[in-house]
Amino acid sequence: MDLNFRDLIKKSKLESLLTRGNFGLEKENLRVNKNGELALTLHPKEFGDKLKNPYITIDFSESQLEMITPSFDTVEKAYTFLENLHDIVSTTLDSEYLWPQSIPPILPEEKDIPIGIFHGEAGKSNKEYRERLAKKYGKKLQLLSGIHYNFSFSDKFLNKLYEEIPHGSEFRDFKRFKNHLYLKIARNHFRYGWFFIYLFGASSPIHGTYRKECIEKMSQLKDDSYYFEHTLSFRNGICGYKNIDEIYVSHNTITDYVTDIKKLIENDTLQEAKEYYSSIRVKSKSKTDILDSLEKDGIEYLEFRSIDLNPFSRIGVDILDLKFVHLFIIYLLLKEENNEFGESQYKNAIQNQELLASRGRDKELLLNKGKDLKITAREWAEEIIDEMTGYFGELGILDDKYNEIINFQKEKIKNEDRQYVSRLLKGIKDKGFINFHLEKAESSLKESQKKSFALKGYEDLELSTQIVLKEAIKRGIKFELVDRSENFVLLDNGVKKEYIKQATKTSLDSYITALIMENKVVTKKVLSDSGIVVPNGDSYDDPSKAKADYDDYKNMGTVIKPKSTNFGLGITIFKAGFSRSDYEKAVDMAFNEDNSILIEEFIEGKEYRFFVIGDETVGILHRVPANVLGDGKKSIEKLVQIKNENYLRGKGYKTPLEKIVLGESEKMFLESQGKNIQYIPLSGEKVFLRENSNISTGGDSIDYTDDIPDIYKEIAVKASKSAGAVICGVDMIIKDIKNPNPENNYGIIEINFNPAIHIHCYPYIGTNRELGGKILDALGF
């Protein structure tokens, strides 16, 4: 007895659950140098141990990167994570690009292509497996790259559907039911899998350094590139990535599947189960004992393997194509099987796929639909699209969102010029094989660099948190957002776990250390007791008492600030004399932020933020107060608006720089200069909008790490240690940074227990100090 899944879903009203699932993506990319030649360098050390990094590893060759997303509950989330992996890898490579094509670039001699290098006992089998593949298939064939799409239905959907199966059915065992469901999809994918190649084929011409036995059968396209005129996907065609021997593996039951694979291994047709190069694979819970796990646990998910890299998509695949794959998988479940699927049907399906891949642009090509019925690919594709639309309409899941996905594919079916291969051939004829692909690679890299500070899908987190997470991904450290709104993260590399909050609140610092740094009165006491210069002044709990002491400060430079806040909130700086009304207004602003305030002497000089980790100052910034540069035409208000449009500026510490706000403090500071927001600065005139230089109030950041004498770096470390801190931000005023004698030349105005790292990683001017990695180092990762 078979199961009619369409009827079961309608009967049990599971239409809304049908579209839920678990999605994962894998992408292979070759590394190339700037001449379009295969990079012969080792896998970048920044990505750690390739056997342990779950996100960034290699495939066959040391030059062949593989990026792997975790499993997500939407394909959009998986795509976004793949974007992050692509951006992280692209911007980490040194003078190399990710080759944007399934077909290899300029290749060296076969003997010079580097097989993946692995060390230790764990790496021995991986190395030996690749060496056997190289001997059997040749290294150049193994460099063909693509996209793998991993999918399973949600547990809730499977469990609810299982409950609808009548008692007494042979599928009342859940494992058997699930195997049957996934094997049906697999069988239907063999029948209709050519459709993926028809829609996503994007590999036709090859470079003249590819396999000679293929080039001898092909025509020259341009320069040193060759092609079969009607090829849609070279990678999936007769010269592409497939088993040498003609193989049959039954997909009728999991027992049949395992038995057939084991026989192929026993007679040396295959080395291991993973050498079965099918367009679809049933995947097990265990990644090592694949066949035993399939028998014991059943099918965990399906892997769809025939999607070419798309050179017209920045990261190698279009989100609308991925969404269509999801819809097509649902269609494969709903589509009834009208005939058995034995060896002859299996081989016919494989033949259709290879024919379509190799000759799909030939309008005269006929595919075998079964029972001696021949049909063109376009006619059959239109039938499938119409049937899909009918099924989804019948189940009530067809809306504008799904129509957009389906119409995107319809355009490719109707118009050959919209197919990726047509666009590819035109591009290569215009620019040449290497130049065309290098331009795509360069363009993708520039886009990755443009907003390299952001971690897509996690932009709601503080930027410092995003930076640490990006570094964790690079190193292969898994993470969990325990409390997203609080930027509370769990890091786990399989050996140790660490909780961090807002990037720099970690187990390295004690609670009392944080309290010391939070309280500016206590901070001054601790620093002073350690012989560190701090400004003179007093603390106040009562606004009236603070205001009454106006005469004590009126003739000196003065700073008025809350006792326990960060980010420059409520701070007013008077460099010289000031009126009583301005003084009282500043006192009120400080008390608006805290119940206690400090009034201190203003220390002359420039302010620098020292970032300390342990015994080392790892970054120094000078923060220039919020400002605008005049052009003689625009008002301060308009200049602020224009400056805020820079993509580096945002709100809430999610970008390297904060937007400038024209609030009360800024207006008061302009007033002290005899200006207002409608003032039009002269061309080249710089107008400062605040006295304090916090990035959080719109300031600019300039890296000075290599320009400050070591003695001040040592003072910063000493200040950090005086509070018992491991991670600390030290705000130091220095009169003359060229003076190596600190006496009467500096003063520390504050130490911070939660210093932002993004200002050191993405300064307005200067070098990225890579603090995300340094924090992970300090945590023992």
Side-chain angles (χ1 to χ4, degrees), residues 628-634 639 680-687:
V628 291
L629 187 66
D631 63 359
K633 299 176 183 178
K634 302 181 187 68
L639 290 170
I680 299 175
L682 300 173
S683 179
E685 179 186 0
K686 181 175 280 191
V687 178

PDB file of all heavy atoms in Angstrom, residues 628-634 639 680-687:
ATOM      1  N   VAL A 628      31.400  69.001  11.734  1.00  0.00           N
ATOM      2  CA  VAL A 628      31.082  69.072  10.302  1.00  0.00           C
ATOM      3  C   VAL A 628      32.122  69.973   9.640  1.00  0.00           C
ATOM      4  O   VAL A 628      32.726  70.836  10.283  1.00  0.00           O
ATOM      5  CB  VAL A 628      29.668  69.631  10.034  1.00  0.00           C
ATOM      6  CG1 VAL A 628      28.605  68.648  10.493  1.00  0.00           C
ATOM      7  CG2 VAL A 628      29.473  70.992  10.694  1.00  0.00           C
ATOM      8  N   LEU A 629      32.324  69.756   8.354  1.00  0.00           N
ATOM      9  CA  LEU A 629      33.267  70.544   7.572  1.00  0.00           C
ATOM     10  C   LEU A 629      32.480  71.378   6.575  1.00  0.00           C
ATOM     11  O   LEU A 629      31.716  70.851   5.756  1.00  0.00           O
ATOM     12  CB  LEU A 629      34.248  69.629   6.843  1.00  0.00           C
ATOM     13  CG  LEU A 629      35.404  70.316   6.124  1.00  0.00           C
ATOM     14  CD1 LEU A 629      36.336  70.994   7.145  1.00  0.00           C
ATOM     15  CD2 LEU A 629      36.198  69.298   5.306  1.00  0.00           C
ATOM     16  N   GLY A 630      32.651  72.705   6.661  1.00  0.00           N
ATOM     17  CA  GLY A 630      31.860  73.612   5.838  1.00  0.00           C
ATOM     18  C   GLY A 630      32.251  73.615   4.377  1.00  0.00           C
ATOM     19  O   GLY A 630      33.383  73.284   4.004  1.00  0.00           O
ATOM     20  N   ASP A 631      31.287  74.001   3.540  1.00  0.00           N
ATOM     21  CA  ASP A 631      31.552  74.183   2.108  1.00  0.00           C
ATOM     22  C   ASP A 631      31.158  75.580   1.648  1.00  0.00           C
ATOM     23  O   ASP A 631      31.160  75.877   0.450  1.00  0.00           O
ATOM     24  CB  ASP A 631      30.817  73.126   1.282  1.00  0.00           C
ATOM     25  CG  ASP A 631      29.298  73.223   1.407  1.00  0.00           C
ATOM     26  OD1 ASP A 631      28.812  74.101   2.156  1.00  0.00           O
ATOM     27  OD2 ASP A 631      28.604  72.413   0.767  1.00  0.00           O
ATOM     28  N   GLY A 632      30.789  76.450   2.602  1.00  0.00           N
ATOM     29  CA  GLY A 632      30.406  77.815   2.271  1.00  0.00           C
ATOM     30  C   GLY A 632      29.000  77.947   1.728  1.00  0.00           C
ATOM     31  O   GLY A 632      28.561  79.052   1.378  1.00  0.00           O
ATOM     32  N   LYS A 633      28.261  76.832   1.645  1.00  0.00           N
ATOM     33  CA  LYS A 633      26.917  76.862   1.058  1.00  0.00           C
ATOM     34  C   LYS A 633      25.845  76.291   1.990  1.00  0.00           C
ATOM     35  O   LYS A 633      24.722  76.787   2.018  1.00  0.00           O
ATOM     36  CB  LYS A 633      26.907  76.057  -0.257  1.00  0.00           C
ATOM     37  CG  LYS A 633      27.844  76.595  -1.329  1.00  0.00           C
ATOM     38  CD  LYS A 633      27.846  75.672  -2.547  1.00  0.00           C
ATOM     39  CE  LYS A 633      28.837  76.158  -3.596  1.00  0.00           C
ATOM     40  NZ  LYS A 633      28.881  75.238  -4.768  1.00  0.00           N
ATOM     41  N   LYS A 634      26.191  75.256   2.720  1.00  0.00           N
ATOM     42  CA  LYS A 634      25.184  74.542   3.504  1.00  0.00           C
ATOM     43  C   LYS A 634      25.272  74.909   4.978  1.00  0.00           C
ATOM     44  O   LYS A 634      26.354  75.146   5.520  1.00  0.00           O
ATOM     45  CB  LYS A 634      25.341  73.032   3.337  1.00  0.00           C
ATOM     46  CG  LYS A 634      25.230  72.543   1.894  1.00  0.00           C
ATOM     47  CD  LYS A 634      25.376  71.030   1.811  1.00  0.00           C
ATOM     48  CE  LYS A 634      25.442  70.554   0.370  1.00  0.00           C
ATOM     49  NZ  LYS A 634      26.684  70.990  -0.301  1.00  0.00           N
ATOM     50  N   LEU A 639      24.618  70.000   6.815  1.00  0.00           N
ATOM     51  CA  LEU A 639      25.879  69.246   6.791  1.00  0.00           C
ATOM     52  C   LEU A 639      25.806  68.022   7.695  1.00  0.00           C
ATOM     53  O   LEU A 639      26.346  66.960   7.363  1.00  0.00           O
ATOM     54  CB  LEU A 639      27.035  70.149   7.226  1.00  0.00           C
ATOM     55  CG  LEU A 639      27.425  71.266   6.243  1.00  0.00           C
ATOM     56  CD1 LEU A 639      28.393  72.232   6.899  1.00  0.00           C
ATOM     57  CD2 LEU A 639      28.020  70.696   4.956  1.00  0.00           C
ATOM     58  N   ILE A 680      26.117  78.918   8.458  1.00  0.00           N
ATOM     59  CA  ILE A 680      26.751  78.333   7.268  1.00  0.00           C
ATOM     60  C   ILE A 680      28.265  78.482   7.403  1.00  0.00           C
ATOM     61  O   ILE A 680      28.806  79.592   7.251  1.00  0.00           O
ATOM     62  CB  ILE A 680      26.256  79.026   5.979  1.00  0.00           C
ATOM     63  CG1 ILE A 680      24.739  78.836   5.828  1.00  0.00           C
ATOM     64  CG2 ILE A 680      26.992  78.462   4.757  1.00  0.00           C
ATOM     65  CD1 ILE A 680      24.136  79.586   4.652  1.00  0.00           C
ATOM     66  N   PRO A 681      28.979  77.383   7.695  1.00  0.00           N
ATOM     67  CA  PRO A 681      30.434  77.464   7.854  1.00  0.00           C
ATOM     68  C   PRO A 681      31.110  77.799   6.530  1.00  0.00           C
ATOM     69  O   PRO A 681      30.633  77.444   5.440  1.00  0.00           O
ATOM     70  CB  PRO A 681      30.832  76.059   8.323  1.00  0.00           C
ATOM     71  CG  PRO A 681      29.562  75.420   8.791  1.00  0.00           C
ATOM     72  CD  PRO A 681      28.485  76.029   7.961  1.00  0.00           C
ATOM     73  N   LEU A 682      32.232  78.477   6.620  1.00  0.00           N
ATOM     74  CA  LEU A 682      33.023  78.788   5.437  1.00  0.00           C
ATOM     75  C   LEU A 682      33.582  77.500   4.826  1.00  0.00           C
ATOM     76  O   LEU A 682      33.662  76.464   5.488  1.00  0.00           O
ATOM     77  CB  LEU A 682      34.174  79.722   5.807  1.00  0.00           C
ATOM     78  CG  LEU A 682      33.788  81.083   6.403  1.00  0.00           C
ATOM     79  CD1 LEU A 682      35.043  81.808   6.874  1.00  0.00           C
ATOM     80  CD2 LEU A 682      33.023  81.921   5.384  1.00  0.00           C
ATOM     81  N   SER A 683      33.979  77.568   3.587  1.00  0.00           N
ATOM     82  CA  SER A 683      34.581  76.407   2.933  1.00  0.00           C
ATOM     83  C   SER A 683      35.854  76.008   3.674  1.00  0.00           C
ATOM     84  O   SER A 683      36.756  76.839   3.881  1.00  0.00           O
ATOM     85  CB  SER A 683      34.901  76.737   1.479  1.00  0.00           C
ATOM     86  OG  SER A 683      35.501  75.630   0.852  1.00  0.00           O
ATOM     87  N   GLY A 684      35.906  74.738   4.107  1.00  0.00           N
ATOM     88  CA  GLY A 684      37.060  74.236   4.839  1.00  0.00           C
ATOM     89  C   GLY A 684      37.015  74.491   6.328  1.00  0.00           C
ATOM     90  O   GLY A 684      37.897  74.009   7.072  1.00  0.00           O
ATOM     91  N   GLU A 685      36.004  75.211   6.808  1.00  0.00           N
ATOM     92  CA  GLU A 685      35.897  75.505   8.245  1.00  0.00           C
ATOM     93  C   GLU A 685      35.310  74.291   8.972  1.00  0.00           C
ATOM     94  O   GLU A 685      34.230  73.816   8.620  1.00  0.00           O
ATOM     95  CB  GLU A 685      35.003  76.728   8.472  1.00  0.00           C
ATOM     96  CG  GLU A 685      34.819  77.077   9.946  1.00  0.00           C
ATOM     97  CD  GLU A 685      33.813  78.206  10.176  1.00  0.00           C
ATOM     98  OE1 GLU A 685      33.252  78.723   9.174  1.00  0.00           O
ATOM     99  OE2 GLU A 685      33.577  78.557  11.349  1.00  0.00           O
ATOM    100  N   LYS A 686      36.030  73.794   9.969  1.00  0.00           N
ATOM    101  CA  LYS A 686      35.530  72.677  10.768  1.00  0.00           C
ATOM    102  C   LYS A 686      34.835  73.232  12.004  1.00  0.00           C
ATOM    103  O   LYS A 686      35.428  74.016  12.751  1.00  0.00           O
ATOM    104  CB  LYS A 686      36.659  71.733  11.175  1.00  0.00           C
ATOM    105  CG  LYS A 686      36.185  70.532  12.001  1.00  0.00           C
ATOM    106  CD  LYS A 686      37.304  69.541  12.303  1.00  0.00           C
ATOM    107  CE  LYS A 686      37.561  68.636  11.116  1.00  0.00           C
ATOM    108  NZ  LYS A 686      38.457  67.491  11.463  1.00  0.00           N
ATOM    109  N   VAL A 687      33.601  72.822  12.199  1.00  0.00           N
ATOM    110  CA  VAL A 687      32.819  73.278  13.355  1.00  0.00           C
ATOM    111  C   VAL A 687      32.544  72.071  14.250  1.00  0.00           C
ATOM    112  O   VAL A 687      31.970  71.072  13.806  1.00  0.00           O
ATOM    113  CB  VAL A 687      31.488  73.925  12.922  1.00  0.00           C
ATOM    114  CG1 VAL A 687      30.673  74.346  14.151  1.00  0.00           C
ATOM    115  CG2 VAL A 687      31.746  75.117  12.012  1.00  0.00           C
TER     116      VAL A 687
END
